Amino acid sequence: MKIGSIIVAILMFSLVVIFHELGHFLFAKKNGIGVNEFCLGMGPKLFGIKKGETLYSLRLFPIGGACMMVGEDENSDDAKAFNNKTVWQRFQVIFAGPLFNFILAFLLSMIMVAIAGYDPARVTDVAKDGAAAQAGLMEGDLIVRYDGKKINFGREIMVEETFDPIKDATPVEITYKRDGKKYTTSVVPQKSVRYLLGFVYNGDDMPATIQSVNKGSAFEAAGIMKGDVVTSLNGTRIASGNALIEYMQAHPLKGEPVKVGYMRNSLDYEAEVIPQASESYSLGFSYNMYAEKTSGFAVLKYSAAEVKYWIVTTVKSLGQIFKGKVSRNDIGGPVRIVSEISNVMSEASPYGAMVVIVELINWCVLLSANLGVMNLLPIPALDGGRLLFLIIEGVRRKPVNREKEGLVNGIFFVLLMLLMIFVFYNDITNLFR
């Protein structure tokens, strides 16, 4: 990771966090609540400026921030104390943090959509005699609903296919526009069988280095590992990742064994690999994933849709974690994000500064929407947990015992810090892998 990428990532984190805390701060002031300190970062204070009753400070570690209000976690006789305000006033102050993250995501989306446009879910290809063709779908049709869900972007279909893949021949209802008119059709997925070796490699002019090997795959069974370089298939020399792509396209895998030549630690090996059959169901069409320019009111419309897209994607991702469908290697924290941002900057830079800017704005939208959703989780020590206590207080018409609430928040804060340490450790180990 380059130092420039790290600085950019820190600035992006800071923008997202400061906007979140700004929501708390402004609504605290609006409701007459005193603010002792408004800070960016965690840990020891580097410097601060006091204006009125509030100290504005910068702390050592550029992760997180805080709006420290008077009487926030204790009983106080001060009229400006947080806990002396009504449930509705306190609810506003707490909810304002995540709300401001969604507002920031929307504002940044407006800039991004105005510059780059959006990716309409337009059908780009329909397989001959495939499921979509039989249902009447044609190239150029614009998909507006997929399996009962409103669609604005091609990415939204990809998310649906990723988190809820088609596993059988259950019909999928698709609504599309053609020549200004809407049509609805039912697409019955078609079953197909593919034979796979179960590995990922680089598709470029460099040697065909294996990037990963799927668990339980044919390659794993044959002892071929990540980092090995494929040098031949059935006696045909493979000089690069592109050459491997060309070979696989010209020689589709069947059930017969494949002789794989590979290099490990400068030594040549050969293994006989039996491809594994994989059943899948397909709708038989492809859709657009590239941005197209737009203007006027459409910028507002698709900016709001962009925020919704990231909120829905974050929620679906959390669902995968709770269902146990996400491995440790899939979980990333600040270090992983900095690494990804560095990769994005490197990959986008050949296309010009504007492309880099749009990609970074996209990451800011993702981070801001993600922070908003995460903070609304009903977990003590997060905004969502505090909102839960306020809802309980509103229903009971009397506050939860402050000491008990503070104890619960304190325990969960420690647990969150331990989780943060684990995520940092996981990021570092994954980085070295």
Side-chain angles (χ1 to χ4, degrees), residues 140-213:
D141 290 342
L142 181 67
I143 297 175
V144 294
R145 294 193 74 84
Y146 177 93
D147 202 21
K149 299 175 182 67
K150 181 177 174 58
I151 296 296
N152 290 290
F153 312 126
R155 285 168 290 152
E156 291 176 310
I157 301 178
M158 181 187 70
V159 167
E160 293 299 323
E161 291 178 339
T162 300
F163 291 110
D164 190 17
I166 298 171
K167 298 178 181 179
D168 52 38
T170 301
V172 176
E173 188 174 270
I174 293 178
T175 300
Y176 59 93
K177 282 185 177 180
R178 181 188 298 167
D179 299 327
K181 295 182 180 180
K182 281 187 180 181
Y183 302 88
T184 298
T185 187
S186 187
V187 184
V188 181
Q190 287 184 343
K191 180 180 176 180
S192 62
V193 178
R194 295 175 61 203
Y195 288 90
L196 305 173
L197 297 175
F199 72 108
V200 177
Y201 58 96
N202 57 299
D204 53 28
D205 291 327
M206 300 297 291
T209 304
I210 297 173
Q211 307 296 324
S212 64
V213 176

Side-chain angles (χ1 to χ4, degrees), residues 47-58:
F47 65 85
I49 300 173
K50 190 162 187 177
K51 289 188 177 182
E53 65 182 7
T54 306
L55 174 67
Y56 301 87
S57 66
L58 179 66

Side-chain angles (χ1 to χ4, degrees), residues 329-379:
N329 292 337
D330 295 321
I331 298 174
V335 177
R336 174 83 168 267
I337 293 172
V338 172
S339 176
E340 294 294 339
I341 290 173
S342 177
N343 292 338
V344 165
M345 292 177 66
S346 297
E347 292 171 5
S349 58
Y351 301 98
M354 189 58 69
V355 175
V356 175
I357 291 171
V358 169
E359 291 292 342
L360 292 178
I361 292 175
N362 185 52
W363 264 92
C364 274
V365 172
L366 182 160
L367 291 173
S368 196
N370 190 280
L371 182 61
V373 172
M374 297 297 287
N375 264 281
L376 285 176
L377 293 177
I379 299 173

Side-chain angles (χ1 to χ4, degrees), residues 315-335:
V315 172
K316 285 182 177 289
S317 299
L318 287 171
Q320 295 293 299
I321 294 175
F322 293 134
K323 291 176 182 177
K325 294 183 177 180
V326 175
S327 71
R328 171 182 164 181
N329 292 337
D330 295 321
I331 298 174
V335 177

Side-chain angles (χ1 to χ4, degrees), residues 244-313:
L244 181 51
I245 292 175
E246 292 173 2
Y247 181 90
M248 299 295 282
Q249 289 175 342
H251 305 82
L253 295 172
K254 298 181 182 179
E256 294 85 1
V258 177
K259 289 186 178 180
V260 180
Y262 62 96
M263 181 184 293
R264 180 187 300 168
N265 299 327
S266 300
L267 298 176
D268 291 318
Y269 299 88
E270 187 175 77
E272 187 173 83
V273 183
I274 301 175
Q276 294 178 345
S278 174
E279 293 184 355
S280 62
Y281 288 82
S282 171
L283 296 179
F285 74 94
S286 303
Y287 47 87
N288 173 59
M289 294 282 286
Y290 295 96
E292 298 179 9
K293 290 282 188 178
T294 190
S295 61
F297 177 76
V299 172
L300 297 177
K301 174 185 175 181
Y302 292 114
S303 296
E306 188 74 33
V307 178
K308 175 194 167 189
Y309 166 78
W310 284 116
I311 291 174
V312 170
T313 302

